[in-house]
Amino acid sequence: MARDVIVVGAGPVGLMLAGELRLGGADVVVYERLPEPSRESRGASFTRRTAESFDQRGLLGPLGTTERADSHFGGVPIDLDMFEEDHYSARGVPQYRTERMLEGWVTGLGVPVRRGCAVTGFEETAGGVVVAFEGPEGPGREHAGYLVGCDGGRSTVRTLAGIGFPGPEPTRGFYTADVTGLTTRRRRIGEDLPGGSMVMAMDLENGVTRVVVHERGMRPRDRESLRYSELADAWQRLTGESIHDGECRWISCFSDASRVADAYRRGRVFLAGDATHVQPPAMAQGLSVGVQDAVNLGWKLAAVIRGTAPEALLDTYEEERLPVGRQLARNARAAIELRLSGEEMDPVREVLRWMVRDDGAAGHLAGMLSGLTIRYAVGGDHPLLGLRMPPDRTVLGRDGSRVRVAELLRAARGVLVLTGGGGERLVSVASGWADRVDTVTGEWSPGADGLPEAVLIRPDGYVAWTAPGGGGALEDALERWFGPAGPVGAARN
């Protein structure tokens, strides 16, 4: 019997997508070419919006302790304390810990993760995809309704699908390593050095320090031949400090390449994460934007598979996420040039430092970096429409209960919150979608000024309709995002 979805790649993006699909009722399997989970740290931070997405599914607790991370653009600090809303990202979380948490979640949901399975080809048919793979027991084939490549910047699925991956050729190289036994001064957002060089030293966990080095003129290189002594030599040339005695746990290199896929979908094949966008880790964005891809796609694909939503809903994945990927690439290129150009860029740096003293300019930059100001085109004129619903807003139930918006989204269903008078008609309307949208009545807790009396929240946490200001009838919004009305059910109080 064919699977609904084959997800390729058991990194944070593939695992997050698999969990979202499973919550939506899809039969999904994950293929991973590596035989064992990676112990590499790679991504060590994630944005505020990604933290909120984990919170929506109850995953922040299992992730363990995190540390608030300061914000900057190209090395220019942004004072996040000037804002009422929390834009701080999380740092000090090695990627293997995020992957371990997510794999425990998806396997607990019943999703198999097949390690040592490398996709070698696929053939799209009228009703699905036939995937060829090489596994521990030799070659095999499996049928599925859809295939999603979450297999990184060198994506096999993207290549096989013939989707272009344009972008300028890299010109700069960076060394990065996780090292124990270091006493060097910490430089958490990096330290710019004369001539366009930079160094960074950030604490992870268990005495591990993440170090990054770029020495002006350093070119991209092959990571397989890189040795820790080369990184330590460059560090000493730039800082005058020796870190040669540190114990290197992991070492790699990266470049300033920024690329975005021509398309996020081709027929029954989708891409997400680094398979669609790669950029230097200048702003700790790659993992986070990939997780947001997964959260956007998962509920939509599951709804189409269940037959509750039309195929056209899948078009909104690329419509909403491709612009985010392109903006990410632009931002990364700008940040790298700002940070690593020489003294000729000093006037621009000074202008930006002056601008970010203004809360409007600083808020624009902070929102791009935190992911909190991503806005999808859903129609209507309420200022909250298309933005994510703040997950800490609390609904006071008529029975005295208190529930945060994040908790209402645990099951990855739509949520209609009704807090004003005259909600009986809206409850009646929403009952036609009760098999996929929960209706919650009550009132907003004190301090929630400006929130609408009625708000429809998508499973990914974004606002799809409000009253007032929703730009149309509730029925239209429900059908647009959740398909035609189905069985009648009861509202939750």
Side-chain angles (χ1 to χ4, degrees), residues 210-267:
R210 164 68 55 81
V211 295
V212 179
V213 177
H214 170 74
E215 190 171 14
R216 186 176 177 90
M218 186 181 289
R219 303 287 297 176
R221 59 163 299 166
D222 178 13
R223 70 186 62 176
E224 300 303 324
S225 61
L226 178 61
R227 298 292 178 263
Y228 176 64
S229 60
E230 297 176 67
L231 183 154
D233 289 345
W235 183 280
Q236 187 164 22
R237 286 192 297 270
L238 293 172
T239 68
E241 304 170 348
S242 175
I243 60 173
H244 290 82
D245 290 340
E247 180 184 344
C248 181
R249 300 288 186 86
W250 168 76
I251 188 168
S252 188
C253 56
F254 56 92
S255 74
D256 60 351
S258 291
R259 299 180 183 276
V260 184
D262 287 333
Y264 281 27
R265 177 193 183 188
R266 182 152 294 171

Side-chain angles (χ1 to χ4, degrees), residues 207 226 270 479-480 488:
L226 178 61
F270 292 82
E479 184 161 352
R480 176 183 179 186
V488 175

Side-chain angles (χ1 to χ4, degrees), residues 10-75:
V13 177
L15 292 170
M16 191 74 194
L17 177 61
E20 294 288 298
L21 288 165
R22 190 71 196 100
L23 286 176
D27 179 16
V28 56
V29 62
V30 179
Y31 287 4
E32 170 54 53
R33 64 178 181 80
L34 296 177
E36 299 291 339
S38 172
R39 291 292 295 176
E40 296 178 353
S41 53
R42 294 193 179 274
S45 303
F46 50 82
T47 63
R48 180 64 185 171
R49 181 57 194 151
T50 298
E52 291 180 350
S53 295
F54 289 154
D55 187 19
Q56 288 173 180
R57 303 299 186 248
L59 300 175
L60 269 186
L63 186 59
T65 304
T66 63
E67 179 184 0
R68 289 204 318 176
D70 299 327
S71 185
H72 69 94
F73 188 87

Side-chain angles (χ1 to χ4, degrees), residues 196-466:
S197 300
M198 66 86 66
V199 293
M200 187 190 81
M202 178 183 74
D203 293 322
L204 295 182
E205 60 183 7
N206 300 324
V208 176
T209 302
R210 164 68 55 81
V211 295
V212 179
V213 177
H214 170 74
E215 190 171 14
R216 186 176 177 90
M218 186 181 289
R219 303 287 297 176
R221 59 163 299 166
D222 178 13
R223 70 186 62 176
E224 300 303 324
S225 61
L226 178 61
R227 298 292 178 263
Y228 176 64
S229 60
E230 297 176 67
L231 183 154
D233 289 345
W235 183 280
Q236 187 164 22
R237 286 192 297 270
L238 293 172
T239 68
E241 304 170 348
S242 175
I243 60 173
H244 290 82
D245 290 340
E247 180 184 344
C248 181
R249 300 288 186 86
W250 168 76
I251 188 168
S252 188
C253 56
F254 56 92
S255 74
D256 60 351
S258 291
R259 299 180 183 276
V260 184
D262 287 333
Y264 281 27
R265 177 193 183 188
R266 182 152 294 171
R268 290 180 170 268
V269 179
F270 292 82
L271 303 174
D274 285 354
T276 61
H277 43 72
V278 295
Q279 62 290 314
M283 300 175 293
Q285 297 282 294
L287 181 153
S288 293
V289 176
V291 168
Q292 296 308 303
D293 293 341
V295 174
N296 185 285
L297 175 60
W299 68 275
K300 297 173 180 178
L301 184 52
V304 171
I305 289 168
R306 288 198 316 268
T308 59
E311 180 82 11
L313 180 62
L314 298 179
D315 295 335
T316 66
Y317 170 58
E318 181 175 298
E319 291 169 1
E320 294 182 342
R321 296 306 299 173
L322 180 54
V324 175
R326 288 174 173 164
Q327 182 186 62
L328 173 65
R330 289 193 299 268
N331 289 351
R333 287 195 293 269
I336 285 291
E337 290 302 320
L338 185 67
R339 168 146 246 175
L340 299 182
S341 295
E343 288 77 6
E344 68 274 14
M345 191 65 75
D346 283 347
V348 178
R349 296 183 184 108
E350 286 303 315
V351 169
L352 187 58
R353 290 189 187 100
W354 176 78
M355 289 182 64
V356 296
R357 297 173 190 165
D358 176 79
D359 59 0
H364 180 72
L365 279 176
M368 284 197 307
L369 297 171
S370 67
L372 299 192
T373 57
I374 290 173
R375 187 173 206 145
Y376 300 137
V378 300
D381 55 14
H382 191 282
L384 196 59
L385 280 164
L387 294 171
R388 108 288 187 218
M389 185 69 186
D392 286 330
R393 295 292 187 261
T394 300
V395 180
L396 306 179
R398 294 170 180 169
D399 58 359
S401 61
R402 299 174 58 91
V403 59
R404 297 167 54 240
V405 166
E407 295 165 341
L408 294 173
L409 292 167
R410 291 285 190 264
R413 290 162 54 89
V415 177
L416 175 65
V417 180
L418 302 175
T419 61
E424 293 81 3
R425 186 191 71 81
L426 296 179
V427 169
S428 176
V429 169
S431 65
W433 285 264
D435 59 326
R436 68 209 88 150
V437 177
D438 296 322
T439 299
V440 180
T441 60
E443 61 184 52
W444 294 115
S445 62
D449 297 338
L451 291 184
E453 293 183 349
V455 57
L456 177 64
I457 308 170
R458 304 186 330 186
D460 56 359
Y462 286 80
V463 176
W465 176 87
T466 63

Side-chain angles (χ1 to χ4, degrees), residues 136-171:
E137 299 178 359
R141 293 166 65 85
E142 185 166 13
H143 295 247
Y146 296 89
L147 173 66
V148 187
C150 304
D151 50 343
R154 301 177 181 179
S155 170
T156 298
V157 174
R158 185 188 65 237
T159 301
L160 292 171
I163 296 174
F165 202 42
E169 292 300 315
T171 61

